[in-house]
């Protein structure tokens, strides 16, 4: 099923782009607005810092652990079907988040949201890949990415407006009408498709072990429970053993790491997105708790990083293709590290123009320089047939890194359970956390500089260009990534 005959200029093509943007936009908006709402959630539910960490991490945990399985389910049982199920699941979990009477229900509902996100996120691009004519797929993906960038840009602003207006619960309740619009449009206008060659059993054990290992390590970091950390390491070892034994039938086939470049760029991803996850979690709190910003003010203050990425990412991708990944993946993290160190200037009497904006501009330039070449290098480091798997593994690595950073940084910085309730205490721990984030980025830059190769010479054999980390053979744009 799923002959690629839909043209971009047709009514059907426009409906497909609209549906996929709307569905993936739900998950994207949710990931960008929740950080802004955290102080209000904590105050309303009388929660400590650990609850705020779990409010973020419960979602990231199930999403990171199940996103590869979600993509496989769509290939097997129908991409539109699994996408629609994911949208409905996400909306029902969002409703439960919005109605949560206490912290325990909110955290459980956030975990359920992550399951829905793992079903709908891979499906959005897979539907474009499967539905559009080959000549139009690149343009369709470009529109999907562009609208996704706009959604990311307005997310913190919308979240802040909702939190300061009707309240933090509407950050979640907003997803319900969006889903009510998305589902009937998908069922009516999006063609069903599946991979007819998909066969064999799903690696449910691998997915379960991976999620369990992440959950135990996260619990250990937040709750400072050594036994959970030890159990998480053991389960992680079990996961590796299972995946090695299953070979190509595994959720994460070990053979994909035979590419030196693929392994190296995923190590860079772990460093970069660990720093990003910790930074955006703590920065939203710093701006509100210490600098005295409203939720809307904090959300608006963080916009420059996303705006820069939206405006300059395409040029950054072209630059990476021209000069190779080594310099962008080295200089980009170093710029981000400098931006995070500049955030040390943000205190109780910080000026936005003098203190906050310069830090975010430097951070945004670093993110712009590294993100597009990083994704392109992931795809170029494996055969085209494995591009979907490669992007899925990289996406899961990025989300797992952010998850662990949100769990570990407050403990490493010495944040107590009530730190976010005291401007003085939170400000002191924030100043300890930012150099840690910067240090992680420096490690990523060193990994990139020592492992990435220089670009291949003109006329080099295409396979050599792949191993050099340069995307010379034309890749299938419909398999570019599993998330915006």
């Amino acid at each position: 099923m799923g002959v690629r005959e839909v043209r971009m200029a047709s009514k059907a093509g426009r409906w497909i782009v609209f549906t996929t943007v709307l569905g993936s936009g739900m998950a994207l908006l949710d990931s960008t607005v929740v950080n802004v709402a955290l102080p209000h959630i904590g105050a309303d539910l009388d929660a400590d810092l650990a609850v705020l960490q779990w409010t973020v991490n419960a979602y990231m945990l199930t999403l990171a652990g199940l996103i590869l399985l979600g993509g496989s389910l769509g290939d097997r049982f129908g991409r539109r079907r699994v996408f629609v199920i994911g949208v409905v699941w996400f909306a029902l979990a969002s409703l439960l988040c919005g109605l949560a009477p206490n912290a325990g229900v909110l955290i459980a509902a956030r975990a359920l949201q992550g399951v829905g996100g793992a079903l709908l996120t891979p499906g959005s691009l897979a539907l474009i890949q499967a539905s559009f004519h080959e000549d139009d797929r690149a343009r369709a993906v470009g529109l999907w990415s562009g609208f996704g960038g706009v959604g990311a840009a307005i997310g913190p602003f919308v979240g802040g407006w909702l939190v300061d207006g009707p309240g933090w619960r509407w950050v979640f309740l907003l997803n319900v009408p969006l889903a009510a619009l998305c589902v009937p449009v998908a069922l009516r206008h999006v063609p069903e498709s599946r991979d007819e060659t998909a066969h064999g059993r799903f690696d449910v054990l691998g997915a379960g072990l991976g999620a369990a290992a992440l959950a135990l390590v996260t619990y250990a970091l937040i709750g400072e429970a050594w036994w959970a950390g030890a159990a998480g390491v053991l389960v992680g070892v079990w996961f590796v053993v299972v995946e090695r034994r299953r070979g190509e039938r595994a959720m994460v086939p070990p053979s994909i790491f035979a590419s030196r470049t693929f392994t190296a760029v995923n190590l860079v991803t772990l460093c970069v997105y660990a720093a990003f996850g910790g930074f955006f979690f703590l920065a939203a709190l710093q701006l509100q708790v210490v600098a005295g910003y409203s939720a809307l003010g904090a959300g608006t203050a963080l916009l420059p990083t996303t705006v820069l990425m939206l405006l300059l990412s395409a040029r950054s991708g072209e630059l990476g293709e021209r000069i190779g990944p080594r310099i962008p993946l080295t200089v980009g993290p170093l710029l981000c590290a400098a931006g995070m160190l500049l955030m040390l200037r943000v205190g109780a009497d910080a000026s936005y123009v003098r203190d906050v904006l310069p830090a975010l501009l430097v951070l945004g330039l670093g993110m712009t320089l590294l993100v597009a070449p990083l994704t392109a290098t992931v795809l170029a480091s494996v055969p085209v047939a494995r591009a979907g798997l490669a992007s899925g593994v990289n996406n899961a690595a990025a989300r797992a890194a952010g998850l662990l950073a949100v769990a570990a940084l407050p403990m490493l910085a010495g944040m107590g359970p009530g730190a976010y309730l005291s401007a003085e205490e939170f400000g002191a721990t924030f100043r300890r956390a930012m150099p840690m984030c910067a240090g992680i980025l420096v490690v990523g830059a060193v990994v990139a500089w020592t492992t990435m190769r220089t670009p291949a010479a003109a006329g080099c054999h295409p396979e050599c260009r792949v191993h050099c980390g340069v995307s010379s053979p034309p890749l299938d744009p419909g398999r570019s990534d599993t998330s915006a």
Side-chain angles (χ1 to χ4, degrees):
M1 296 179 64
V3 179
R4 304 183 189 100
E5 292 294 340
V6 177
R7 301 308 301 248
M8 188 63 244
S10 68
K11 183 178 179 181
R14 291 191 292 270
W15 276 119
I16 293 170
V17 172
F18 173 79
T19 305
T20 54
V21 167
L22 189 60
S24 61
M26 289 170 52
L28 180 62
L29 278 172
D30 197 78
S31 65
T32 58
V33 302
V34 171
N35 283 346
V36 176
L38 289 176
H40 292 258
I41 293 173
D44 189 40
L45 300 180
D46 192 24
D48 61 15
L49 182 64
V51 169
L52 303 189
Q53 290 173 276
W54 277 114
T55 299
V56 174
N57 278 350
Y59 174 79
M60 297 296 292
L61 176 63
T62 50
L63 180 60
L66 301 176
I67 194 168
L68 283 171
L69 182 61
S72 298
L73 289 171
D75 289 342
R76 179 77 64 84
F77 297 116
R79 299 180 180 103
R80 185 187 67 179
R81 176 185 299 175
V82 173
F83 174 81
V84 168
I85 292 173
V87 170
V88 173
W89 188 307
F90 193 90
L92 293 176
S94 298
L95 178 62
L96 184 57
C97 288
L99 300 176
N102 54 55
V105 174
L106 176 61
I107 291 169
R110 287 284 286 163
L112 291 174
Q113 260 193 321
V115 177
L119 295 175
L120 73 88
T121 301
S124 58
L125 264 183
L127 285 171
I128 292 177
Q129 155 73 12
S131 302
F132 278 97
H133 189 279
E134 183 177 2
D135 295 340
D136 290 341
R137 268 180 279 155
R139 185 183 173 200
V141 171
L143 287 173
W144 181 88
S145 301
F147 283 117
V150 172
I154 67 173
F157 177 84
V158 171
W161 178 78
L162 289 171
V163 171
D164 286 341
W168 65 265
R169 296 179 183 273
W170 282 94
V171 168
F172 301 107
L173 296 175
L174 178 66
N175 293 322
V176 177
L178 293 178
L181 175 62
C182 182
V183 170
V185 172
L187 292 175
R188 181 170 182 176
H189 295 286
V190 177
E192 182 61 284
S193 64
R194 61 173 57 90
D195 183 0
E196 299 293 352
T197 65
H199 58 82
R201 297 181 179 179
F202 293 108
D203 188 10
V204 177
L205 177 59
L209 289 174
L214 282 174
L216 287 165
V217 172
T218 302
Y219 180 81
L221 294 171
I222 294 177
E224 299 185 30
W226 66 268
W227 62 267
V233 171
L234 291 175
V235 174
V237 172
W238 187 9
F239 167 76
V240 172
V241 171
V242 168
E243 297 301 277
R244 288 180 64 88
R245 286 180 176 175
R246 294 193 171 185
E248 295 305 304
R249 296 180 293 109
M251 181 179 71
V252 184
S255 61
I256 197 171
F257 293 99
S259 166
R260 178 175 177 267
T261 300
F262 180 78
T263 302
V265 80
N266 275 284
L267 291 175
V268 176
T269 297
L270 287 171
C271 295
V272 165
Y273 281 92
F276 290 168
F279 172 80
F280 284 107
F281 173 72
L282 296 177
L285 288 168
Q286 176 77 358
L287 290 172
Q288 294 178 73
V289 174
V290 178
Y293 283 44
S294 66
L296 177 58
T300 305
L302 295 170
L303 282 177
T305 55
T306 307
V307 172
L308 283 172
M309 290 190 65
L310 182 62
L311 294 176
L312 301 177
S313 285
R315 294 182 180 179
S316 173
E318 293 172 0
L319 176 66
E321 185 174 359
R322 186 166 65 250
I323 68 174
R326 191 184 194 192
I327 293 177
L329 296 188
T330 301
V331 177
L334 293 177
L335 279 174
C336 290
M340 292 182 187
L341 291 177
L342 285 174
M343 282 294 291
L344 295 173
R345 296 164 53 90
V346 178
D349 300 319
S351 161
Y352 181 74
V353 174
R354 186 181 66 249
D355 301 317
V356 180
L357 183 59
L360 294 177
L361 288 177
V362 174
L363 174 65
L365 287 173
M367 294 174 67
T368 300
L369 186 61
L370 76 89
V371 170
L374 186 147
T375 302
T377 306
V378 167
L379 297 172
S381 62
V382 298
V384 175
R386 308 193 86 175
L389 174 63
S391 61
V393 171
N394 187 253
N395 193 5
R399 296 179 187 275
L403 162 76
L404 294 175
V406 171
L409 266 178
M411 178 192 71
L412 295 174
M415 292 185 186
Y420 80 98
L421 300 174
S422 166
E424 183 178 354
E425 182 181 354
F426 190 86
T429 53
F430 180 82
R431 288 192 295 273
R432 291 195 290 269
M434 286 302 97
M436 296 178 190
C437 290
I440 296 171
L441 286 163
V442 171
V443 172
V446 171
V447 171
W449 181 257
T450 56
T451 59
M452 296 291 110
R453 299 181 183 179
T454 54
C460 186
H461 189 275
E463 191 66 21
C464 178
R465 289 178 177 263
V466 170
H467 289 300
C468 291
V470 180
S471 179
S472 176
L475 292 172
D476 187 344
R479 302 296 293 275
S480 61
D481 206 345
T482 53
S483 71

